[in-house]
Amino acid sequence: MIPGSFDYHRPKTVDEAVALLGQYGEEARAIAGGHSLIPMMKLRLAAPEHLIDLGKIEALRGISRDGDTIVIGATTTQAELIASPVIASNLPILIETAMLIADPQIRYVGTVGGNVANGDPGNDMPALMQCLGADYVLKGASGERSVAARDFYEAAYFTALEDGELLTSIRIPLPPAGCGWAYEKLKRKVGDYATAAAAVMLKLHGGACSFASIALTNVGDTPLLAAEAAEALVGSSLDKSAIDAAVAAAEAITNPASDGRGPAEYRTRMAGVMLRRAIARAKNRAA
Amino acid sequence: MNDMTVPREEREAKLEGMGCKRKRVEDVRFTQGKGNYVDDIKLKDMVFGDFVRSPYPHARVKSIDTSAAEALPGVLAVLTAETLKTVNLAWMPTLAGDVQMVLADGKVLFQNQEVAFVIAEDRYIAADAVDLVEVEYEELPVLVDPFKAMEPDAPVLREDLEGKTEGAHGARKHHNHIFEWTVGDSEATDLAFSKAEVTVKELFSYHRCHPCPLETCACVASMDKIKGELTLWGTFQAPHVVRTVASLLSTIPEHKIRVISPDIGGGFGNKVGVYPGYVCSIVGSIVLGRPVKWVEDRIENLSATAFARDYHMTTELAATAEGKITGLRCHVLADHGGFDACADPSKWPAGFFNIITGSYDIPTAHVAVDGVYTNKAPGGVAYRCSFRVTEAVYAMERAIDVLARKLNMDPAELRLKNFIRPEQFPYPSALGWEYDSGDYETAMRKAMETVDYAGLRAEQAEKRAAFERGETRELMGIGVSFFTEIVGAGPTRNCDILGIGMFDSCEIRIHPTGAAIARMGTISQGQGHQTTYAQILATELGIPADMIDIEEGDTDTAPYGLGTYGSRSTPVAGAATAMAARKIKAKAQMIAAHMLEVHEDDLEWDVDGFRVKGLPEKTASMKEICWAAYNNVPPNMEPGLEAVSYYDPPNMTYPFGAYICVMDIDVDTGAHKVRRFYALDDCGTRINPMIIEGQVHGGLTEGYAIAMGQEIAYDDMGNVTTASLMDFFLPTAVETPFWETDWTVTPSPHHPIGAKGVGESPNVGSVPCFSNAVNDAFAHLGVTHIQMPHDNWRIWRECKRLGLTG
């Protein structure tokens, strides 16, 4: 549990950080809260020669509203997210999810940007960002680009983020007014990754579901947008057969690993159970 | 000055003696981060060791190339088995009569086995150098399943034992067989079973788990070559034994070795044994002439240092149709890993497993234990229990539940029917123990009344009906367990560690002003010894506990003792404390008689001094006596007030308890919620009720973890898959249930203060209680036994098998 040696950089601006990332290429890693990277370094599964600490870059921090979009700076901590009135009034599902991540000590340090950018399928925010249709703003030497969360994840720890690029902010469109929401997570203990988890946003109109979005955490090597499952709900009264169809569609796209949380079959079923429970709670919350 | 005019109650309160909820004096430093642990020790010129470990669970070591590591600036030495052979230390004896490689000698037998030891100027260089040691392995077939260990074509693990048909504990039946240990009357037991109206038989596996103390194992070895003296700081639960072993292994005379256990962050049996890290640090310090520090990390601790349990117990009960148990038979397959490094008393290869008849009057029984080697880490330590007692209690307490189902009786009623009755004590058990005391029925009935057991059963019936009607997806389980521990090892006639009898000791010095210091042969790892021993002395000697220092853990100053494990501190060293105090009190009485110019028989003790019988205003307080001991002793008496006691207990002590658990299980996820957990403990005389309650809380939390998910698991390839706290279940405050604690008091008749020990009871008693609750939730569906650990997916698997969920 002793990391290899590395050089430490602490830029004050995004441009400086991007320049350092460009300069050192794949030998460099950006570090924010460090809750994923530092354990990997201690296990010597990661051995970056240059650590670029984003902690002093004020521009990367904070939560704001930009028209119909909520903008979350990459190094905003989970604790700041939880305490944010902007998030509480516009995207309470983010708070419900963040409260299920690790423990208070980690949430004071762990960042939203780190959680989404690392590409760990166990992280909770990536599926939620897919469910909400968020975009990630990435900045590199050649400028800035935006990648949808739904297109960002390629495989475990492989993402659209290229060497030399930095995730600077997350842009989340405001969900339709009156949307019900829920994030259901089954875990073994505080601090554990999900055995399975499901994020649900849905809207009711005249007793029928007029909008639904569903994504799943940690039941594949990327977060999974369950588009067919959502389609199975839209137009229905969220009756048992529609929910059964959604659950079946969601389970069908899972491909979890067998691990200490349980064999693959169990984790697939738990994705279904979590989805069923999330739909029920979201339905109750829908206006 | 005579302070005995103060009312008796005030003087008693001032002492903070036995029965007082005295705050732990240790916590003043612990809560301020001022504890002094091994890793806090920093010595001049100290260097750091780190291990190269095997990625393979079974492989031949073809070659080890240390040249690149040795070339790294700051690296001072790289030890391998070849280097250790020059000092005859490539192998070391285990406490169980086996031998164990210190560093891989020709092959490795478990994943993360120690292969080479790098010593460097700092901790980082040592870690870098570990990566530079090149080891060439040739993989060998891996043996993971203990049930396959004795198949004819099973891989040969211990080539060093080839041709040895006799082990430390008798004949070996197979190349992977370690010992067979039997106890009881086999023929009489067979007869009881052949005559029985009802029998049950079930395999209860108590999975491999781990004590996982918050502080991992560590040491600092410092060889002073000028003086020829070795000082060894370490996380040792038995510092004197470590000194003796170190002397025998190193040939350094024992008086030239000083072993110091500073503050220890939890042991739970994990810190009893001798580990390669200690040996390598000592050798490193001797070679380099500099202090060597070694601190293992969490992964090393979990994967290589002293697991617990891994007992597979095929248990049978014979009974009458009315539910009177007439016989018990048990065969245990014990998985010891690559070396037999159990930390049991020497003559007890399966510990005190023969306590398996438990709290019940079972006339005849037979037990056979087969120990086998597998490609797993060595250990088999007593994880917060007396030696193999928790395994035995688990088997018995599950078996009696299984019998209750078969008889269609309530499990609590069946226990009541079979308890050893109070008038039967001292009770000779069928497997050779003499239980000192107990009142089991009173404890069981108090537990049942407190939780409204009948009401719980009615609620369960309602809930099952509601489940049938589809109104709930939860099943309710009620777990009952009643355990009898056997602790306080132990009488030297049958208990020793490497030939040293398992007595313990206390040495007391009273200063002229009435303050005192007592030094002990035990060592606290969080149990609060500094607090509780002082309370025993306060009551025995009439000196306020705050005026008494308790010192442990330094072999240069402490009297020889066998250390702290197996709940032995209070039963053995606590007894030595009282006995030494009584020697002092006897001398104090003679001094008081001299001071008051009366015969000593004319004096009576009153809290903190003596009064003359019939003349209560004539007194000599202990404070006055202490002063007089240094200037006014009777003619021909030596001055001073000191005593030492080496206490050889006449018997073990037998704490017991009644636990009841109420659990709700979500059949769709397999997740559970412990709605209620009630623990009644009878540990005899209660020295500090607050410390007892804390001990019980801690033990219950460990028991909860073990039953509900804590596991050292290996995959089919022999890779350990639970070597970090991500996967090894250590519950946080969030997962930990709320504990209700209660007690009865049945003092031990042979212990000077009637105390029995309590630290381990809650682990021993709670594991079967949780497991019984899980099994009880499904009992109406015909389930007899679900193997632990009862984590979510395994419970769900059972729900699925039963058709309760998809």
Side-chain angles (χ1 to χ4, degrees):
Chain A
M1 296 296 280
I2 303 285
S5 64
F6 54 85
D7 286 339
Y8 176 77
H9 308 267
R10 195 165 60 179
K12 291 207 169 58
T13 66
V14 171
D15 286 343
E16 266 183 74
V18 169
L20 286 164
L21 284 169
Q23 182 181 344
Y24 296 115
E26 61 182 15
E27 288 168 2
R29 287 292 298 270
I31 185 165
H35 278 92
S36 301
L37 182 57
I38 290 175
M40 299 284 270
M41 290 170 64
K42 285 183 161 187
L43 292 167
R44 297 194 175 217
L45 295 171
E49 291 179 24
H50 297 272
L51 266 194
I52 298 161
D53 184 349
L54 307 179
K56 285 289 169 192
I57 307 176
E58 287 301 322
L60 287 177
R61 210 168 183 125
I63 297 163
S64 60
R65 181 167 171 171
D66 176 9
D68 284 342
T69 304
I70 302 296
V71 183
I72 302 172
T75 63
T76 305
T77 65
Q78 305 288 354
E80 287 163 348
L81 192 75
I82 290 165
S84 163
V86 176
I87 299 298
S89 54
N90 293 292
L91 287 164
I93 191 172
L94 280 177
I95 295 176
E96 178 163 296
T97 304
M99 289 295 286
L100 293 167
I101 296 173
D103 55 57
Q105 282 181 308
I106 289 176
R107 296 196 292 259
Y108 281 123
V109 180
T111 66
V112 183
N115 193 290
V116 301
N118 194 41
D120 184 338
N123 287 349
D124 293 284
M125 286 293 171
L128 182 55
M129 294 305 168
Q130 293 194 337
C131 177
L132 294 169
D135 290 310
Y136 300 156
V137 179
L138 314 179
K139 192 161 185 188
S142 54
E144 201 169 78
R145 64 184 179 122
S146 179
V147 176
R150 293 174 184 180
D151 299 327
F152 184 73
Y153 300 98
E154 294 163 357
Y157 303 105
F158 286 92
T159 67
L161 193 72
E162 290 180 3
D163 282 342
E165 268 188 327
L166 186 67
L167 179 136
T168 56
S169 67
I170 300 159
R171 298 177 65 85
I172 307 172
L174 285 180
C179 239
W181 47 274
Y183 189 73
E184 279 282 341
K185 178 178 180 180
L186 180 68
K187 55 182 176 176
R188 297 172 297 181
K189 62 175 275 189
V190 163
D192 193 17
Y193 294 120
T195 301
V200 171
M201 299 288 290
L202 60 80
K203 188 168 165 57
L204 295 174
H205 186 74
C209 177
S210 58
F211 163 81
S213 180
I214 297 170
L216 308 171
T217 294
N218 212 20
V219 281
D221 68 353
T222 65
L224 299 173
L225 182 74
E228 275 185 47
E231 278 165 31
L233 298 181
V234 174
S236 80
S237 61
L238 299 181
D239 54 303
K240 184 173 180 306
S241 67
I243 293 171
D244 285 349
V247 166
E251 289 183 359
I253 62 168
T254 64
N255 184 24
S258 293
D259 65 13
R261 295 169 187 83
E265 182 205 5
Y266 171 69
R267 299 184 63 188
T268 290
R269 290 286 175 272
M270 291 310 103
V273 172
M274 292 301 105
L275 175 57
R276 201 178 285 279
R277 292 179 183 184
I279 292 170
R281 284 206 298 122
K283 182 183 172 187
N284 284 338
R285 282 167 166 165
Chain B
M1 191 192 85
N2 186 341
D3 46 12
M4 289 181 69
T5 56
V6 177
R8 186 187 170 90
E9 293 71 27
E10 276 180 43
R11 288 184 289 126
E12 268 178 350
K14 195 179 160 204
L15 293 182
E16 295 193 285
M18 285 196 279
C20 171
K21 291 184 181 179
R22 185 180 183 222
K23 284 188 180 169
R24 287 167 32 114
V25 296
E26 296 88 342
D27 290 345
V28 175
R29 63 181 189 276
F30 291 152
T31 54
Q32 298 182 73
K34 299 292 186 190
N36 182 42
Y37 298 92
V38 173
D39 202 21
D40 292 319
I41 292 165
K42 293 177 176 66
L43 303 178
K44 188 171 180 292
D45 295 331
M46 188 169 76
V47 294
F48 300 83
D50 196 0
F51 278 112
V52 177
R53 292 177 181 275
S54 169
Y56 300 107
H58 194 197
R60 211 165 292 291
V61 177
K62 306 276 282 183
S63 66
I64 302 176
D65 182 354
T66 60
S67 56
E70 283 165 334
L72 186 71
V75 172
L76 300 165
V78 182
L79 307 182
T80 63
E82 294 309 311
T83 3
L84 293 181
K85 277 177 187 173
T86 63
V87 285
N88 201 25
L89 280 174
W91 293 68
M92 62 179 179
T94 72
L95 296 177
D98 196 0
V99 289
Q100 175 181 353
M101 292 178 208
V102 175
L103 292 171
D105 183 15
K107 70 188 294 196
V108 289
L109 288 165
F110 63 95
Q111 190 178 53
N112 284 358
Q113 185 177 334
E114 300 81 0
V115 174
F117 189 71
V118 173
I119 305 171
E121 291 282 355
D122 75 38
R123 188 67 190 80
Y124 290 86
I125 296 171
D128 289 343
V130 163
D131 282 353
L132 296 175
V133 175
E134 284 177 29
V135 186
E136 192 189 340
Y137 297 96
E138 177 191 317
E139 286 186 75
L140 294 168
V142 175
L143 175 61
V144 177
D145 182 353
F147 287 91
K148 294 181 177 161
M150 291 205 283
E151 288 179 356
D153 57 350
V156 177
L157 304 196
R158 291 290 298 275
E159 287 161 16
D160 60 301
L161 299 179
E162 195 183 349
K164 277 199 172 179
T165 54
E166 282 288 314
H169 304 284
R172 297 173 67 226
K173 294 185 276 197
H174 180 276
H175 55 258
N176 292 327
H177 186 239
I178 309 170
F179 64 84
E180 182 187 22
W181 184 71
T182 61
V183 58
D185 187 332
S186 170
E187 280 177 30
T189 305
D190 289 349
L191 190 64
F193 273 84
S194 68
K195 284 184 173 173
E197 291 165 322
V198 182
T199 62
V200 290
K201 179 177 184 179
E202 197 78 47
L203 168 64
F204 304 118
S205 278
Y206 197 141
H207 55 287
R208 180 174 280 235
C209 47
H210 196 282
C212 193
L214 285 188
E215 180 202 26
T216 57
C217 292
C219 75
V220 177
S222 180
M223 184 74 199
D224 182 330
K225 288 191 171 181
I226 308 293
K227 294 181 181 165
E229 288 176 1
L230 172 69
T231 307
L232 185 63
W233 289 261
T235 49
F236 309 129
Q237 289 184 238
H240 285 96
V241 178
V242 169
R243 185 183 72 188
T244 303
V245 171
S247 175
L248 293 172
L249 290 182
S250 69
T251 69
I252 301 170
E254 197 168 358
H255 71 293
K256 294 285 190 188
I257 301 176
R258 179 181 183 187
V259 176
I260 302 171
S261 294
D263 284 329
I264 297 179
F268 315 113
N270 190 235
K271 294 170 178 170
V272 172
V274 173
Y275 301 118
Y278 307 158
V279 177
C280 289
S281 300
I282 293 170
V283 172
S285 184
I286 291 171
V287 170
L288 297 170
R290 295 174 68 175
V292 177
K293 178 186 274 189
W294 169 73
V295 181
E296 65 182 358
D297 68 26
R298 180 64 58 195
I299 291 173
E300 294 177 297
N301 178 254
L302 284 172
S303 62
T305 305
F307 76 94
R309 327 299 193 220
D310 219 341
Y311 256 36
H312 307 274
M313 306 171 283
T314 304
T315 311
E316 298 169 78
L317 289 178
T320 66
E322 292 76 40
K324 182 75 189 76
I325 301 171
T326 54
L328 176 149
R329 190 159 51 199
C330 183
H331 178 267
V332 181
L333 181 66
D335 184 341
H336 287 252
F339 307 96
D340 185 8
C342 284
D344 295 319
S346 305
K347 298 184 188 76
W348 302 89
F352 305 152
F353 186 80
N354 50 328
I355 194 70
I356 187 173
T357 53
S359 315
Y360 312 106
D361 183 15
I362 301 178
T364 181
H366 186 259
V367 163
V369 181
D370 278 303
V372 296
Y373 293 120
T374 60
N375 288 121
K376 299 179 195 168
V381 296
Y383 169 9
R384 205 182 186 131
C385 68
S386 201
F387 315 98
R388 300 295 187 185
V389 171
T390 188
E391 291 93 329
V393 169
Y394 182 70
M396 181 67 227
E397 288 304 294
R398 278 274 46 244
I400 196 167
D401 262 29
V402 173
L403 178 63
R405 304 301 170 220
K406 186 148 184 184
L407 292 165
N408 204 23
M409 280 181 72
D410 182 89
E413 289 300 325
L414 184 60
R415 285 172 171 81
L416 285 165
K417 193 171 206 136
N418 285 283
F419 278 150
I420 301 163
R421 297 182 310 280
E423 66 273 17
Q424 288 178 280
F425 293 93
Y427 173 82
S429 82
L431 294 177
W433 297 114
E434 186 180 286
Y435 293 28
D436 63 349
S437 59
D439 183 355
Y440 299 158
E441 182 171 344
T442 299
M444 188 76 220
R445 291 206 185 277
K446 185 176 183 185
M448 291 168 73
E449 273 169 36
T450 310
V451 302
D452 183 18
Y453 184 73
L456 287 172
R457 284 293 174 197
E459 184 191 344
Q460 183 185 40
E462 276 172 34
K463 203 155 179 188
R464 282 175 178 169
F467 186 91
E468 286 298 312
R469 294 192 300 269
E471 292 165 12
T472 175
R473 299 293 292 157
E474 281 184 350
L475 288 174
M476 174 179 167
I478 303 168
V480 176
S481 77
F482 196 101
F483 64 93
T484 294
E485 263 241 269
I486 170 167
V487 306
T492 57
R493 66 179 180 276
N494 59 9
C495 291
D496 69 272
I497 300 276
L498 298 176
I500 301 164
M502 293 180 74
F503 59 84
D504 225 291
S505 59
C506 172
E507 185 184 289
I508 306 169
R509 293 182 187 178
I510 312 278
H511 309 319
T513 55
I517 183 167
R519 295 192 169 102
M520 315 291 305
T522 51
I523 176 68
S524 185
Q525 305 124 41
Q527 291 91 338
H529 287 180
Q530 278 185 289
T531 308
T532 48
Y533 286 138
Q535 289 182 259
I536 296 174
L537 288 171
T539 296
E540 290 285 339
L541 291 175
I543 293 173
D546 277 349
M547 300 285 282
I548 303 166
D549 260 352
I550 302 294
E551 240 183 51
E552 298 179 300
D554 183 341
T555 58
D556 265 14
T557 53
Y560 204 106
L562 274 285
T564 294
Y565 43 85
S567 284
R568 64 187 303 282
S569 296
T570 296
V572 191
T577 307
M579 298 308 274
R582 287 172 193 182
K583 291 181 189 177
I584 285 176
K585 199 167 160 183
K587 183 171 179 181
Q589 187 163 357
M590 288 191 265
I591 296 170
H594 175 69
M595 289 163 67
L596 297 167
E597 297 177 332
V598 296
H599 191 276
E600 57 182 273
D601 291 345
D602 293 332
L603 295 173
E604 60 187 0
W605 179 252
D606 179 26
V607 181
D608 54 359
F610 293 95
R611 290 185 196 277
V612 177
K613 289 176 189 168
L615 289 169
E617 71 284 0
K618 284 199 73 175
T619 63
S621 70
M622 263 316 274
K623 195 173 168 65
E624 293 163 331
I625 296 166
C626 295
W627 186 258
Y630 291 87
N631 58 30
N632 183 23
V633 294
N636 304 321
M637 180 187 273
E638 288 181 9
L641 208 47
E642 300 188 4
V644 58
S645 169
Y646 282 74
Y647 187 80
D648 180 4
N651 192 0
M652 308 284 187
T653 61
Y654 297 80
F656 58 92
Y659 291 0
I660 295 175
C661 171
V662 183
M663 189 185 284
D664 293 314
I665 289 170
D666 175 343
V667 299
D668 290 319
T669 59
H672 66 273
K673 194 174 284 172
V674 175
R675 200 199 309 165
R676 194 160 183 197
F677 197 98
Y678 169 90
L680 179 150
D681 275 283
D682 191 321
C683 58
T685 302
R686 293 158 59 82
I687 298 164
N688 183 327
M690 188 167 67
I691 284 185
I692 291 172
E693 193 175 9
Q695 292 258 36
V696 171
H697 283 193
L700 293 176
T701 304
E702 287 176 337
Y704 169 72
I706 293 167
M708 305 313 292
Q710 186 175 95
E711 179 185 18
I712 294 292
Y714 289 82
D715 66 16
D716 293 343
M717 314 288 286
N719 301 300
V720 57
T721 60
T722 53
S724 87
L725 297 187
M726 277 301 290
D727 293 301
F728 181 83
F729 178 45
L730 200 67
T732 71
V734 176
E735 290 81 38
T736 302
F738 178 80
W739 310 119
E740 297 171 59
T741 59
D742 204 348
W743 64 91
T744 56
V745 176
T746 312
S748 168
H750 64 76
H751 187 278
I753 59 170
K756 297 183 175 180
V758 74
E760 299 170 331
S761 294
N763 190 317
V764 170
S766 67
V767 174
C769 192
F770 290 113
S771 190
N772 283 346
V774 171
N775 280 282
D776 184 69
F778 300 100
H780 61 302
L781 303 170
V783 171
T784 54
H785 180 65
I786 305 168
Q787 298 291 9
M788 291 194 293
H790 302 302
D791 46 4
N792 295 347
W793 75 265
R794 287 180 171 99
I795 291 184
W796 176 85
R797 183 177 60 182
E798 188 67 14
C799 293
K800 183 163 179 281
R801 189 185 71 79
L802 293 165
L804 303 174
T805 191

